[in-house]
Amino acid sequence: MLKIENSSKHQHGSGGFGIDILWPGMVQNSGDSGIGAIGRIDQANVKAGTVISMHPHKDDEILTYIRKGRMLHLDTVGNEEEISDSRLMLMNAGHTFQHEERILGEQGESMQCLQIFIRPSEPDLTPQVQFHDFGTPYSDNIWRLIAGPENAPLTFRSQTWVQDARLGEGGELKLPAVPVSNVVRLLYVFQGAARIGETPLKTGESIIIEGDDVHTVTALKTTDLVLFTTDPAAKIFCGGMFSGNTRPRL
């Protein structure tokens, strides 16, 4: 297992828009900014009233995972939809796609989310947008499947799975069974503090887990976890606008 400290992230933004950017592969010596299909993970805190104007994406699978606040989404395939901590969105950008985001709420409020950039299996796919209402923001003490290549609420066009869980203080939860053999997983603490094995993790930190061994996560206080699983042997396209291997190693 390889821990990723918050110091490995890169800060970006100004005014009401701030993000911490994680290129998970930067802590490895592979020469790739991502890990398998996991290209990039942004943890964002954006003030209500902020408008992120229409901008393009290409060959990215983009999961917007909101934990607080609301956002109005508009795009070039005709959607105008509100998303929240219980109604999530996956944009399969494909060959041509643009969108705009308007952060909703009262003055002083903010929207907090992960913007997750996953690599598709191939370039120039048909653009589409998916929405799913999970009914509740949190999955207490059990792993919940958010997105995957099949039989999932939201569908990635690559061999990638995202699950989440909320653990109360002192709670323990084993990592779920892997969907295929020889996976690589990334366990991310959105908020809180936890321990996996002897490794402590706090808000914004993550850990890379290779192989199929069963590990147990223990919450040191109420903690929101996001688990990414990727099949490193599966076909991926590494030229996506944000998910691709486009940033030089630091």
Side-chain angles (χ1 to χ4, degrees), residues 27-201:
V27 299
Q28 297 180 315
N29 294 317
S30 65
D32 186 354
S33 59
I35 298 173
I38 307 167
R40 167 175 162 173
I41 302 168
D42 294 354
Q43 184 155 356
N45 189 343
V46 189
K47 292 182 180 178
T50 301
V51 176
I52 304 165
S53 59
M54 194 69 70
H55 60 281
H57 287 278
K58 188 177 189 306
D59 298 323
D60 296 319
E61 307 274 290
I62 310 152
L63 175 61
T64 302
Y65 179 86
I66 294 179
R67 292 290 80 205
K68 177 184 176 183
R70 298 175 295 121
M71 182 169 71
L72 182 66
H73 163 90
L74 304 94
D75 61 46
T76 49
V77 295
N79 292 295
E80 184 173 337
E81 300 275 351
E82 184 176 316
I83 57 176
S84 66
D85 58 2
S86 61
R87 189 169 189 259
L88 305 183
M89 174 181 66
L90 176 56
M91 297 177 282
N92 310 98
H95 56 70
T96 306
F97 181 78
Q98 296 192 54
H99 72 119
E100 178 178 300
E101 312 295 359
R102 302 174 185 176
I103 309 306
L104 306 175
E106 303 297 326
Q107 185 175 1
E109 295 180 341
S110 65
M111 186 275 299
Q112 298 176 13
C113 76
L114 294 182
Q115 194 88 324
I116 300 159
F117 298 91
I118 298 298
R119 295 165 173 173
S121 59
E122 55 187 299
D124 297 322
L125 296 170
T126 301
Q128 63 182 27
V129 183
Q130 306 168 56
F131 303 90
H132 185 82
D133 193 336
F134 289 86
T136 178
Y138 304 110
S139 178
D140 291 319
N141 304 310
I142 190 170
W143 292 108
R144 172 177 63 175
L145 180 62
I146 299 294
E150 57 187 3
N151 300 320
L154 299 166
T155 304
F156 287 128
R157 297 183 291 195
S158 69
Q159 292 294 102
T160 312
W161 297 261
V162 175
Q163 296 162 282
D164 72 346
R166 166 171 275 203
L167 281 183
E169 183 176 353
E172 294 186 344
L173 187 61
K174 291 183 178 180
L175 296 187
V178 295
V180 295
S181 61
N182 299 316
V183 299
V184 176
R185 292 176 286 188
L186 178 77
L187 180 67
Y188 190 100
V189 175
F190 185 93
Q191 187 169 328
R195 184 179 68 249
I196 181 167
E198 298 301 317
T199 304
L201 299 169

